Amino acid sequence: MAGGVLTIPPVDGFLGNLDALYEQADCEGLQWEAFFQRWYAVWGEAPVTVADVVAALNREEALSEALPDELADAATAGKSLPRRLGKALSRRAETRFPGGLVLARAGRGHGDVTLWVVRDAAP
């Protein structure tokens, strides 16, 4: 509603950065979709923990290469990759990507850790 109100009178700069915002969002979304495609190739629809994913990054080159920039930067800077990955997955839970993949919580595993699954929801 606020956007509609601001588009009627001329407001300099309103939505001036919209194209840049969409470009950034699209790039980020594409990186995550590529990562989840590799994830799906490794585990299919089997539930895994963040620790499983982090361990696989060391042995699955294709998965490691698909790691989104925001996490790759954290991994190379020596920051806590498991914590950052867990938070990043939480932000993307139930997101459906254009290719049909969906990241979802799959309950709790041993030690009460969150299990994650990537499902193919394409029709």
Side-chain angles (χ1 to χ4, degrees), residues 45 96-102 119-123:
E45 295 191 8
R96 183 184 177 128
F97 292 88
L101 295 178
V102 176
R119 293 192 176 104
D120 186 359

Side-chain angles (χ1 to χ4, degrees), residues 56-119:
L57 289 170
N58 294 321
R59 67 175 188 273
E60 299 286 340
E61 187 175 339
L63 184 66
S64 179
E65 289 175 354
L67 195 63
D69 290 345
E70 68 180 275
L71 294 175
D73 294 344
T76 58
K79 296 182 180 170
S80 176
L81 181 59
R83 177 181 287 253
R84 288 181 180 252
L85 177 59
K87 287 182 179 187
L89 295 179
S90 292
R91 287 191 303 271
R92 286 158 186 85
E94 305 306 325
T95 298
R96 183 184 177 128
F97 292 88
L101 295 178
V102 176
L103 172 70
R105 287 180 178 86
R108 295 289 196 181
H110 189 55
D112 202 35
V113 295
T114 300
L115 293 172
W116 296 97
V117 65
V118 173
R119 293 192 176 104

